[in-house]
Amino acid sequence: MPELSQNESADHFLQLIQKSRKGKFKLYIGMSAGVGKTYRMLQEAHQLIRSGINLKIGFVETHNRAETAALVGDLPTIPRKKVFYKSKELEEMDLQSILNQHPEVVIVDELAHTNIPGSKNEKRWQDVVELLQAGISVISAVNIQHLESLNNQVYHITSVEVSERVPDHVLRMADEIVNIDLPADELIQRLKDGKIYHGAKIEAALSNFFRSEQILQLRELALKEVAYQVEKKIETEVLGPNRLRPEKLLACISSNNEGAQKIIRQTARLASYYDANWYVVYVQTPREDPDKIKLASQRHLINNFKMATEMGAEVIRVKNNSVSDAVLNIALEKQISFIILGKPHFNHWNFVFKSTLLRNMLLKTESTPIDLIIVS
């Protein structure tokens, strides 16, 4: 699909707004900070206002970048809410004021932002969902490293743990996704020229996220993700009811926190590619009775259930002496197409237990239409 020019992109989003009273969602994605997502959103804001659209700035973060700040100019802005937290006065997007004023379109930057404790919603993407449900169209932006299911890949590329993340289903909600791309050398030059960060932050950035090899890999992730989302939207809107019956995936996790997170994220990616319904199953065997596992493991388990739910899964918890029996029963009941298991680790007891589980699952699914997927 050819990329639209800035004017054509704004006109297309304007047509979407005019077609429906339901809020429309446009999302700008970039490979890193400084590629120009906020700048493009503000350019579009000016164009929509010139077209007679009632648009307001809900939240924009300029990061003291002169070019971006100049574009904010006199755009109509809903003042931020002042919140006291830990004896400090902080500013947050005023969700209730936006809902009360009910503009046709609102600009909401930093989609992955975590709201100040005590806010109505924990995450800004949840604020956006509420605005869309209220019939307000939203233009927002996010960097590819904040996508939940890519967290492990991003860590492998950058060795940086990204704490603020957005569930994949939020991207699928978008009516329009635009990738803001920039060659790696141009992005690095912008950083060196002080157009992204200032002072000591420049050297720190050059040593971390802004190394050429990392930028290229993040750029590839962003390009692939946007291309995939566009392809999926075409399939959904063009093929419609003629599409094949969606697959169903079942991810098997234990109380092992790191392994569970990887399985959940990789299953979320698979579910997105297959456009599939998916489930996460935890089988509590006697050896994983709450009295026998640490409190920290129990907390991690609950957090993983929450993460899976936010990413679009249905969580199933069962008690059974046999993991393989329980998983197979659920798989047959839910008409599962693929069961996703973690690859055994090669320490003695883990290997004995998990390889036994794997062997049992292979034997028990042999006469069924269910396939096994082993992820590392």
Side-chain angles (χ1 to χ4, degrees), residues 250 252 281-285 318 320-332 339 341 353-365 370 372:
L250 181 64
C252 305
V281 61
Y282 166 69
V283 181
Q284 183 187 305
T285 59
V318 295
N320 201 305
N321 292 335
S322 169
V323 175
S324 56
D325 284 347
V327 170
L328 185 61
N329 289 339
I330 292 166
L332 293 172
I339 294 174
L341 299 169
F353 171 70
K354 289 192 175 180
S355 60
T356 301
L357 170 61
L358 180 55
R359 185 168 59 250
N360 287 343
M361 291 304 305
L362 286 168
L363 290 171
K364 290 177 180 180
T365 57
I370 301 169
L372 295 184

Side-chain angles (χ1 to χ4, degrees), residues 101-159:
Q101 294 188 36
H102 209 283
E104 289 178 83
V105 181
V106 64
I107 303 291
V108 179
D109 207 355
E110 306 282 353
L111 185 65
H113 170 77
T114 300
N115 292 331
I116 297 168
S119 300
K120 182 178 181 182
N121 297 312
E122 180 184 356
K123 298 285 188 176
R124 185 164 290 159
W125 66 261
Q126 294 170 320
D127 293 339
V128 166
V129 171
E130 193 165 336
L131 293 169
L132 294 169
Q133 289 172 343
I136 300 170
S137 294
V138 177
I139 302 175
S140 190
V142 71
N143 288 327
I144 193 64
Q145 62 262 31
H146 294 288
L147 188 59
E148 181 67 70
S149 71
L150 292 176
N151 186 255
N152 297 117
Q153 290 185 55
V154 170
Y155 183 78
H156 180 72
I157 292 169
T158 66
S159 299

